[in-house]
Amino acid sequence: KAGVTQTPRYLIKTRGQQVTLSCSPISGHRSVSWYQQTPGQGLQFLFEYFSETQRNKGNFPGRFSGRQFSNSRSEMNVSTLELGDSALYLCASSLGGSRTQRGAYEQYFGPGTRLTVT
Amino acid sequence: EDQVTQSPEALRLQEGESSSLNCSYTVSGLRGLFWYRQDPGKGPEFLFTLYSAGEEKEKERLKATLTKKESFLHITAPKPEDSATYLCAVQAWNNDMRFGAGTRLTVKP
């Protein structure tokens, strides 16, 4: 079974630009979560999508947005990039089933997109 | 507010020297506690999920345990290939997911 894939793997942008990152989850997984990882802040939760709806959201400004398509693939967009947005952006997929279904929330991560803002 | 604290920040072991990593947490209703391994430049790799106090899971040289306030990841007779950062995460019933800062483990041959 193929794992979570993310594209592109590396990206260099300048301040003020916008960027779109893509994530393809494991086949059969309906939940996709996005995280930002930096040396200073560690792994921070951005948002989660389930069945094309944002189900949960972290504490990030509105410049960070996302969406999920009917095939569960997800995109994340960052507008008006700032230097502090330089980070490894990770996508994780899970089954995302019912509250009582054990294993439904085990997240499997992709390799990440390394974004550098200059 | 939900919190996850991992200790120590860094741990250096000799090959074969067993030890434990700690993950202390406070959460308003625990859905699950997760352990991950992360190698430099890669995404975290799923290791274990623990759901309730008293639960234990094992995989090769790793064993994870859970109490109501903390989890331990025991590493028995580690090898150099076990060197990585180990991350702990807790998920609350409202789906909030919070990660600890990680423990960077180095195993010297």
Side-chain angles (χ1 to χ4, degrees), chain A residues 46-93:
Chain A
L46 282 156
F47 29 66
E48 181 205 6
Y49 284 86
F50 178 76
S51 292
E52 302 179 66
T53 301
Q54 188 179 87
R55 185 158 71 171
N56 209 4
K57 188 177 187 303
N59 193 24
F60 276 80
R63 300 185 296 109
F64 293 82
S65 63
R67 59 177 176 169
Q68 187 180 33
F69 302 96
S70 58
N71 61 359
S72 293
R73 192 177 69 82
S74 178
E75 287 182 348
M76 189 193 93
N77 184 274
V78 188
S79 63
T80 320
L81 284 166
E82 300 177 359
L83 294 178
D85 296 332
S86 294
L88 181 67
Y89 288 88
L90 291 158
C91 160
S93 77

Side-chain angles (χ1 to χ4, degrees), chain A:
Chain A
K1 204 179 216 183
V4 178
T5 58
Q6 292 187 244
T7 57
R9 293 293 313 280
Y10 303 92
L11 207 48
I12 300 175
K13 292 285 189 179
T14 55
R15 274 183 301 175
Q17 287 188 313
Q18 75 164 14
V19 66
T20 298
L21 311 181
S22 181
C23 171
S24 292
I26 292 171
S27 177
H29 283 193
R30 295 165 63 194
S31 170
V32 173
S33 297
W34 287 90
Y35 295 86
Q36 180 194 68
Q37 187 174 36
T38 59
Q41 299 295 321
L43 257 169
Q44 291 190 285
F45 173 72
L46 282 156
F47 29 66
E48 181 205 6
Y49 284 86
F50 178 76
S51 292
E52 302 179 66
T53 301
Q54 188 179 87
R55 185 158 71 171
N56 209 4
K57 188 177 187 303
N59 193 24
F60 276 80
R63 300 185 296 109
F64 293 82
S65 63
R67 59 177 176 169
Q68 187 180 33
F69 302 96
S70 58
N71 61 359
S72 293
R73 192 177 69 82
S74 178
E75 287 182 348
M76 189 193 93
N77 184 274
V78 188
S79 63
T80 320
L81 284 166
E82 300 177 359
L83 294 178
D85 296 332
S86 294
L88 181 67
Y89 288 88
L90 291 158
C91 160
S93 77
S94 63
L95 288 169
S98 71
R99 284 175 171 262
T100 58
Q101 182 183 6
R102 282 200 168 185
Y105 291 89
E106 291 173 359
Q107 296 188 344
Y108 295 84
F109 284 82
T113 294
R114 172 73 62 185
L115 172 65
T116 302
V117 182
T118 61

